[in-house]
Amino acid sequence: MGSSASVLDSELEKPLDCSDLTSEEDLRNEVQRLRNLVREHEKPLRSSGGGAVASEPSSSLTLLGELLQVWAQGDFSDEQITNRYHPDCIVDCTADVEHPRNIFKKYHGIAGAKEFAENFNVNISYEDPVPELYQGPTPDIAMMKFTHIAKNNITGVKFEKPMPVIQEWKFLDGKVIHVKYNFGDVEDLRRVFTN
């Protein structure tokens, strides 16, 4: 496993260069290639007090999956956010959209994560959400492609077609430390949320 492990290490240490990924299919293929590379060398998950260990390759996917299950049940409580987000977390939802409540911004810390959850629950509802989870380029990162039709709850306006949002979730000590949202169609985002 020595030489093949060094191939994995060198691949995972490279910065992710997406400049040649010109289509959704290219991105999907690159994510799948990285997932396969990690899977070839993946060790079984260890458990620490019932939770997945963030240093193991698939634990970021496990942690993100658990968070999505809680959200699907409608639990955005302060307790859930405090238990799942790191005190120094950043939730980066920046987009070139002028929303009256300024929801498309960076949120910092537990208070920011709570504000993020409140803003997105009050202002947005989702139709036909389709989350796809992928192992990120390093074991502490999970990627999610979240395709949905969002509706502005204030105006009732919604996306014309499903929009993909590529999200990068980074975990530290079993909690979310950084999330970056990359919105697929900023023009439609503006149309729906600039009111």
Side-chain angles (χ1 to χ4, degrees), residues 72-144:
Q73 296 166 3
D75 189 352
F76 297 91
S77 66
D78 287 354
E79 178 184 359
Q80 283 295 341
I81 291 170
T82 302
N83 289 338
R84 296 181 183 278
Y85 284 80
H86 193 278
D88 298 322
C89 70
I90 295 175
V91 180
D92 184 351
C93 296
T94 54
D96 188 18
V97 176
E98 292 184 26
H99 186 275
R101 291 189 63 198
N102 190 28
I103 65 174
F104 296 100
K105 63 181 182 177
K106 279 187 185 176
Y107 298 84
H108 299 272
I110 297 296
K114 290 176 182 178
E115 181 187 3
F116 158 76
E118 180 182 330
N119 279 343
F120 277 74
N121 283 314
V122 168
N123 291 283
I124 303 172
S125 56
Y126 302 97
E127 296 176 11
D128 305 321
V130 179
E132 297 174 40
L133 305 180
Y134 303 94
Q135 179 63 54
T138 59
D140 59 338
I141 296 175
M143 306 293 288
M144 178 167 65

Side-chain angles (χ1 to χ4, degrees), residues 9-22:
D9 291 340
S10 67
E11 275 294 310
L12 293 178
E13 288 175 7
K14 288 183 200 174
L16 187 59
D17 178 13
C18 297
S19 61
D20 60 339
L21 304 178
T22 57

